[in-house]
Amino acid sequence: MTAADVQATILGVWRIEQPRLITSLSRMLRDVPLAEDLTQETLVAALEHWPVSGVPEKPGAWLMATAKRRALDHLRHASMRTQKHGMLAHDLAREQETMPDFDSALDDDIGDELLRLIFTACHPRLSREARAALALRMICGLTTEEIARAFLQAEAAIAQRIVRAKRTLSESGLAYETPCREELSERLASVLEVVYLIFNEGYTAARGDEWLRPQLCNEALRMGRVLSSIAPTEPEVHGLVALMELNASRMAARIDAAGEPILLMEQNRALWDRLQIRRGQLALARARELGGAGGFYALQAAIVACHAEAATSDATDWRRIAALYGDLAALVQSPVIELNRAVAIGMAEGPAAALAIVDALAHEPALKSYHLLPSVRGDLLQKLGRFDEARAAFETAADLAGNARERELLLRRAATAARAARDA
């Protein structure tokens, strides 16, 4: 195995194991930011040792053992000023060899360790944006760059937000706590946002060589289903579950055998998971029964349901989709929503109507580096026969795209537009 192979293996294992490491260390140390720091140190240790000693037979167990040893060393060498710290260090030292599951006996209203930690990070003392950024970075393993893309903000601004949030948690004395049932509702909106952004990153990866990260989608779906049992009367929980189920139903049709992206209108709908579509429809119906038809997630789920219910791409009710995007735009002022509405209007009323909306978004600061803006514009220009402009737009989009697969797709579209321009 080459050094590059070892490093790729480490990063692959790391993506899987990081949330488990942080949750375990947080339970031990009662300090989420410290747990995150020690988890990062564990990654550094793997990067130093595995290229020399080889990848362990059980790499996840190696990481966990190393992380727990570092936690124990920290407690041993830190100033043991309180009896609690002394007792905790004693317990860790006594049980280090067997490494039991410290969380298995925990009894609370959440019942899922990763969700419990996300609820912890989403403390009301932090701003809504800081809660989500902190949870996504420390607990869910997304990079600062990926989070910045999700929020359409500068990476430096997100990094500062995370640092301030960690400092607030550490200095407040509230670094680790499991909220009781009456506190869950005030944190629920932030937790839903975190789960939503995790799913989105898995559904269309911001960076890397693969367009999909199914593990993130599956983890978000799992947490969404747990949330629906924790908060069964909250319509937005069911709306989010519906949105994720319906989107995930298309996963098998979104890439070809080589891993290349397949756009929605070109997908083989026979590959869509009808059982998962049915689950999504039932969750959406439940959200509506609870009075949440106009919620942020329920509206998006209704849009995806329009696609799921169309037997063919030509049968899609684009006017209905455009109207739903209008409702969503009235609820949340977002240039991304407006861009999506433009796509729907383009399908319902023609590319010229959509291009006017897209051109009006050209100076939106949040979309300055958003590759889908020139991508959508290129598609509309191509439909209008303005092939040279379409080529330029696709090339701009490719320059902005961080995902390798998506960049290659955009460059292929640019080449197609260039050929059409020559033939015109």
PDB file of all heavy atoms in Angstrom, residues 111-132:
ATOM      1  N   GLY A 111     -31.994   9.387  23.688  1.00  0.00           N
ATOM      2  CA  GLY A 111     -31.790   7.985  23.379  1.00  0.00           C
ATOM      3  C   GLY A 111     -30.846   7.704  22.227  1.00  0.00           C
ATOM      4  O   GLY A 111     -30.650   6.560  21.850  1.00  0.00           O
ATOM      5  N   ASP A 112     -30.230   8.720  21.641  1.00  0.00           N
ATOM      6  CA  ASP A 112     -29.285   8.534  20.557  1.00  0.00           C
ATOM      7  C   ASP A 112     -28.091   9.420  20.844  1.00  0.00           C
ATOM      8  O   ASP A 112     -28.233  10.636  20.993  1.00  0.00           O
ATOM      9  CB  ASP A 112     -29.927   8.912  19.217  1.00  0.00           C
ATOM     10  CG  ASP A 112     -28.961   8.734  18.055  1.00  0.00           C
ATOM     11  OD1 ASP A 112     -28.219   9.679  17.752  1.00  0.00           O
ATOM     12  OD2 ASP A 112     -28.966   7.641  17.464  1.00  0.00           O
ATOM     13  N   GLU A 113     -26.910   8.820  20.916  1.00  0.00           N
ATOM     14  CA  GLU A 113     -25.753   9.558  21.406  1.00  0.00           C
ATOM     15  C   GLU A 113     -25.363  10.718  20.490  1.00  0.00           C
ATOM     16  O   GLU A 113     -25.053  11.812  20.958  1.00  0.00           O
ATOM     17  CB  GLU A 113     -24.553   8.618  21.589  1.00  0.00           C
ATOM     18  CG  GLU A 113     -23.311   9.289  22.147  1.00  0.00           C
ATOM     19  CD  GLU A 113     -23.537   9.943  23.504  1.00  0.00           C
ATOM     20  OE1 GLU A 113     -24.460   9.522  24.230  1.00  0.00           O
ATOM     21  OE2 GLU A 113     -22.800  10.881  23.844  1.00  0.00           O
ATOM     22  N   LEU A 114     -25.362  10.494  19.179  1.00  0.00           N
ATOM     23  CA  LEU A 114     -24.965  11.567  18.273  1.00  0.00           C
ATOM     24  C   LEU A 114     -25.977  12.710  18.329  1.00  0.00           C
ATOM     25  O   LEU A 114     -25.592  13.887  18.396  1.00  0.00           O
ATOM     26  CB  LEU A 114     -24.828  11.042  16.852  1.00  0.00           C
ATOM     27  CG  LEU A 114     -24.306  12.038  15.819  1.00  0.00           C
ATOM     28  CD1 LEU A 114     -22.953  12.608  16.241  1.00  0.00           C
ATOM     29  CD2 LEU A 114     -24.191  11.385  14.446  1.00  0.00           C
ATOM     30  N   LEU A 115     -27.249  12.388  18.330  1.00  0.00           N
ATOM     31  CA  LEU A 115     -28.267  13.438  18.450  1.00  0.00           C
ATOM     32  C   LEU A 115     -28.156  14.157  19.785  1.00  0.00           C
ATOM     33  O   LEU A 115     -28.331  15.374  19.868  1.00  0.00           O
ATOM     34  CB  LEU A 115     -29.661  12.827  18.316  1.00  0.00           C
ATOM     35  CG  LEU A 115     -30.299  12.824  16.936  1.00  0.00           C
ATOM     36  CD1 LEU A 115     -31.653  12.158  16.983  1.00  0.00           C
ATOM     37  CD2 LEU A 115     -30.422  14.239  16.387  1.00  0.00           C
ATOM     38  N   ARG A 116     -27.857  13.408  20.823  1.00  0.00           N
ATOM     39  CA  ARG A 116     -27.709  14.013  22.150  1.00  0.00           C
ATOM     40  C   ARG A 116     -26.617  15.082  22.129  1.00  0.00           C
ATOM     41  O   ARG A 116     -26.770  16.168  22.692  1.00  0.00           O
ATOM     42  CB  ARG A 116     -27.374  12.932  23.169  1.00  0.00           C
ATOM     43  CG  ARG A 116     -27.265  13.429  24.608  1.00  0.00           C
ATOM     44  CD  ARG A 116     -26.827  12.305  25.538  1.00  0.00           C
ATOM     45  NE  ARG A 116     -27.777  11.209  25.526  1.00  0.00           N
ATOM     46  CZ  ARG A 116     -27.477   9.971  25.134  1.00  0.00           C
ATOM     47  NH1 ARG A 116     -26.267   9.688  24.700  1.00  0.00           N
ATOM     48  NH2 ARG A 116     -28.386   9.027  25.171  1.00  0.00           N
ATOM     49  N   LEU A 117     -25.520  14.765  21.448  1.00  0.00           N
ATOM     50  CA  LEU A 117     -24.415  15.710  21.401  1.00  0.00           C
ATOM     51  C   LEU A 117     -24.759  16.917  20.527  1.00  0.00           C
ATOM     52  O   LEU A 117     -24.336  18.045  20.810  1.00  0.00           O
ATOM     53  CB  LEU A 117     -23.157  15.019  20.880  1.00  0.00           C
ATOM     54  CG  LEU A 117     -21.827  15.675  21.234  1.00  0.00           C
ATOM     55  CD1 LEU A 117     -21.672  15.816  22.724  1.00  0.00           C
ATOM     56  CD2 LEU A 117     -20.673  14.883  20.658  1.00  0.00           C
ATOM     57  N   ILE A 118     -25.517  16.698  19.467  1.00  0.00           N
ATOM     58  CA  ILE A 118     -25.954  17.821  18.640  1.00  0.00           C
ATOM     59  C   ILE A 118     -26.868  18.742  19.435  1.00  0.00           C
ATOM     60  O   ILE A 118     -26.750  19.965  19.384  1.00  0.00           O
ATOM     61  CB  ILE A 118     -26.651  17.315  17.358  1.00  0.00           C
ATOM     62  CG1 ILE A 118     -25.639  16.608  16.456  1.00  0.00           C
ATOM     63  CG2 ILE A 118     -27.291  18.479  16.599  1.00  0.00           C
ATOM     64  CD1 ILE A 118     -26.255  15.947  15.245  1.00  0.00           C
ATOM     65  N   PHE A 119     -27.783  18.163  20.204  1.00  0.00           N
ATOM     66  CA  PHE A 119     -28.625  18.981  21.078  1.00  0.00           C
ATOM     67  C   PHE A 119     -27.767  19.763  22.066  1.00  0.00           C
ATOM     68  O   PHE A 119     -28.056  20.929  22.377  1.00  0.00           O
ATOM     69  CB  PHE A 119     -29.612  18.094  21.851  1.00  0.00           C
ATOM     70  CG  PHE A 119     -30.929  17.879  21.162  1.00  0.00           C
ATOM     71  CD1 PHE A 119     -31.186  16.721  20.470  1.00  0.00           C
ATOM     72  CD2 PHE A 119     -31.921  18.853  21.219  1.00  0.00           C
ATOM     73  CE1 PHE A 119     -32.400  16.512  19.832  1.00  0.00           C
ATOM     74  CE2 PHE A 119     -33.141  18.664  20.592  1.00  0.00           C
ATOM     75  CZ  PHE A 119     -33.381  17.495  19.893  1.00  0.00           C
ATOM     76  N   THR A 120     -26.702  19.136  22.558  1.00  0.00           N
ATOM     77  CA  THR A 120     -25.807  19.819  23.487  1.00  0.00           C
ATOM     78  C   THR A 120     -25.150  21.023  22.830  1.00  0.00           C
ATOM     79  O   THR A 120     -25.087  22.117  23.401  1.00  0.00           O
ATOM     80  CB  THR A 120     -24.721  18.840  23.982  1.00  0.00           C
ATOM     81  OG1 THR A 120     -25.333  17.771  24.681  1.00  0.00           O
ATOM     82  CG2 THR A 120     -23.737  19.546  24.898  1.00  0.00           C
ATOM     83  N   ALA A 121     -24.649  20.829  21.606  1.00  0.00           N
ATOM     84  CA  ALA A 121     -23.965  21.921  20.911  1.00  0.00           C
ATOM     85  C   ALA A 121     -24.925  23.045  20.542  1.00  0.00           C
ATOM     86  O   ALA A 121     -24.507  24.204  20.415  1.00  0.00           O
ATOM     87  CB  ALA A 121     -23.281  21.391  19.658  1.00  0.00           C
ATOM     88  N   CYS A 122     -26.200  22.721  20.374  1.00  0.00           N
ATOM     89  CA  CYS A 122     -27.193  23.734  19.986  1.00  0.00           C
ATOM     90  C   CYS A 122     -27.753  24.434  21.218  1.00  0.00           C
ATOM     91  O   CYS A 122     -28.976  24.507  21.424  1.00  0.00           O
ATOM     92  CB  CYS A 122     -28.309  23.085  19.161  1.00  0.00           C
ATOM     93  SG  CYS A 122     -27.779  22.521  17.537  1.00  0.00           S
ATOM     94  N   HIS A 123     -26.865  24.945  22.053  1.00  0.00           N
ATOM     95  CA  HIS A 123     -27.279  25.605  23.294  1.00  0.00           C
ATOM     96  C   HIS A 123     -27.853  26.989  22.989  1.00  0.00           C
ATOM     97  O   HIS A 123     -27.331  27.716  22.134  1.00  0.00           O
ATOM     98  CB  HIS A 123     -26.082  25.729  24.247  1.00  0.00           C
ATOM     99  CG  HIS A 123     -26.492  26.049  25.643  1.00  0.00           C
ATOM    100  ND1 HIS A 123     -26.837  27.323  26.043  1.00  0.00           N
ATOM    101  CD2 HIS A 123     -26.647  25.254  26.734  1.00  0.00           C
ATOM    102  CE1 HIS A 123     -27.172  27.303  27.324  1.00  0.00           C
ATOM    103  NE2 HIS A 123     -27.067  26.058  27.756  1.00  0.00           N
ATOM    104  N   PRO A 124     -28.933  27.394  23.675  1.00  0.00           N
ATOM    105  CA  PRO A 124     -29.539  28.705  23.415  1.00  0.00           C
ATOM    106  C   PRO A 124     -28.606  29.883  23.610  1.00  0.00           C
ATOM    107  O   PRO A 124     -28.857  30.968  23.065  1.00  0.00           O
ATOM    108  CB  PRO A 124     -30.701  28.753  24.422  1.00  0.00           C
ATOM    109  CG  PRO A 124     -31.007  27.330  24.719  1.00  0.00           C
ATOM    110  CD  PRO A 124     -29.696  26.610  24.655  1.00  0.00           C
ATOM    111  N   ARG A 125     -27.540  29.695  24.386  1.00  0.00           N
ATOM    112  CA  ARG A 125     -26.613  30.801  24.596  1.00  0.00           C
ATOM    113  C   ARG A 125     -25.866  31.160  23.313  1.00  0.00           C
ATOM    114  O   ARG A 125     -25.358  32.273  23.173  1.00  0.00           O
ATOM    115  CB  ARG A 125     -25.620  30.443  25.710  1.00  0.00           C
ATOM    116  CG  ARG A 125     -24.705  31.582  26.097  1.00  0.00           C
ATOM    117  CD  ARG A 125     -23.963  31.305  27.386  1.00  0.00           C
ATOM    118  NE  ARG A 125     -24.897  31.235  28.517  1.00  0.00           N
ATOM    119  CZ  ARG A 125     -24.513  31.172  29.785  1.00  0.00           C
ATOM    120  NH1 ARG A 125     -23.228  31.190  30.082  1.00  0.00           N
ATOM    121  NH2 ARG A 125     -25.395  31.098  30.753  1.00  0.00           N
ATOM    122  N   LEU A 126     -25.805  30.234  22.377  1.00  0.00           N
ATOM    123  CA  LEU A 126     -25.154  30.490  21.098  1.00  0.00           C
ATOM    124  C   LEU A 126     -26.184  30.976  20.084  1.00  0.00           C
ATOM    125  O   LEU A 126     -27.359  30.650  20.171  1.00  0.00           O
ATOM    126  CB  LEU A 126     -24.505  29.203  20.569  1.00  0.00           C
ATOM    127  CG  LEU A 126     -23.473  28.523  21.471  1.00  0.00           C
ATOM    128  CD1 LEU A 126     -23.006  27.225  20.837  1.00  0.00           C
ATOM    129  CD2 LEU A 126     -22.297  29.440  21.738  1.00  0.00           C
ATOM    130  N   SER A 127     -25.722  31.741  19.099  1.00  0.00           N
ATOM    131  CA  SER A 127     -26.620  32.160  18.030  1.00  0.00           C
ATOM    132  C   SER A 127     -27.020  30.952  17.200  1.00  0.00           C
ATOM    133  O   SER A 127     -26.339  29.911  17.210  1.00  0.00           O
ATOM    134  CB  SER A 127     -25.931  33.192  17.132  1.00  0.00           C
ATOM    135  OG  SER A 127     -24.887  32.583  16.398  1.00  0.00           O
ATOM    136  N   ARG A 128     -28.112  31.077  16.449  1.00  0.00           N
ATOM    137  CA  ARG A 128     -28.582  29.964  15.626  1.00  0.00           C
ATOM    138  C   ARG A 128     -27.498  29.521  14.643  1.00  0.00           C
ATOM    139  O   ARG A 128     -27.233  28.328  14.471  1.00  0.00           O
ATOM    140  CB  ARG A 128     -29.832  30.380  14.848  1.00  0.00           C
ATOM    141  CG  ARG A 128     -30.426  29.260  13.994  1.00  0.00           C
ATOM    142  CD  ARG A 128     -31.493  29.774  13.059  1.00  0.00           C
ATOM    143  NE  ARG A 128     -30.955  30.682  12.051  1.00  0.00           N
ATOM    144  CZ  ARG A 128     -30.346  30.281  10.941  1.00  0.00           C
ATOM    145  NH1 ARG A 128     -30.185  28.994  10.709  1.00  0.00           N
ATOM    146  NH2 ARG A 128     -29.899  31.158  10.065  1.00  0.00           N
ATOM    147  N   GLU A 129     -26.842  30.488  14.003  1.00  0.00           N
ATOM    148  CA  GLU A 129     -25.805  30.154  13.025  1.00  0.00           C
ATOM    149  C   GLU A 129     -24.626  29.466  13.691  1.00  0.00           C
ATOM    150  O   GLU A 129     -24.046  28.523  13.149  1.00  0.00           O
ATOM    151  CB  GLU A 129     -25.342  31.417  12.295  1.00  0.00           C
ATOM    152  CG  GLU A 129     -26.401  32.076  11.433  1.00  0.00           C
ATOM    153  CD  GLU A 129     -27.314  33.003  12.228  1.00  0.00           C
ATOM    154  OE1 GLU A 129     -27.124  33.117  13.459  1.00  0.00           O
ATOM    155  OE2 GLU A 129     -28.212  33.608  11.623  1.00  0.00           O
ATOM    156  N   ALA A 130     -24.270  29.948  14.891  1.00  0.00           N
ATOM    157  CA  ALA A 130     -23.135  29.358  15.598  1.00  0.00           C
ATOM    158  C   ALA A 130     -23.445  27.934  16.041  1.00  0.00           C
ATOM    159  O   ALA A 130     -22.581  27.056  16.005  1.00  0.00           O
ATOM    160  CB  ALA A 130     -22.762  30.218  16.807  1.00  0.00           C
ATOM    161  N   ARG A 131     -24.673  27.698  16.465  1.00  0.00           N
ATOM    162  CA  ARG A 131     -25.054  26.346  16.891  1.00  0.00           C
ATOM    163  C   ARG A 131     -24.848  25.359  15.747  1.00  0.00           C
ATOM    164  O   ARG A 131     -24.222  24.306  15.920  1.00  0.00           O
ATOM    165  CB  ARG A 131     -26.523  26.309  17.305  1.00  0.00           C
ATOM    166  CG  ARG A 131     -26.908  27.164  18.480  1.00  0.00           C
ATOM    167  CD  ARG A 131     -28.410  27.049  18.706  1.00  0.00           C
ATOM    168  NE  ARG A 131     -28.934  28.185  19.455  1.00  0.00           N
ATOM    169  CZ  ARG A 131     -30.219  28.360  19.729  1.00  0.00           C
ATOM    170  NH1 ARG A 131     -31.105  27.486  19.310  1.00  0.00           N
ATOM    171  NH2 ARG A 131     -30.616  29.406  20.412  1.00  0.00           N
ATOM    172  N   ALA A 132     -25.401  25.696  14.603  1.00  0.00           N
ATOM    173  CA  ALA A 132     -25.320  24.778  13.464  1.00  0.00           C
ATOM    174  C   ALA A 132     -23.876  24.588  13.012  1.00  0.00           C
ATOM    175  O   ALA A 132     -23.441  23.454  12.760  1.00  0.00           O
ATOM    176  CB  ALA A 132     -26.172  25.309  12.316  1.00  0.00           C
TER     177      ALA A 132
END
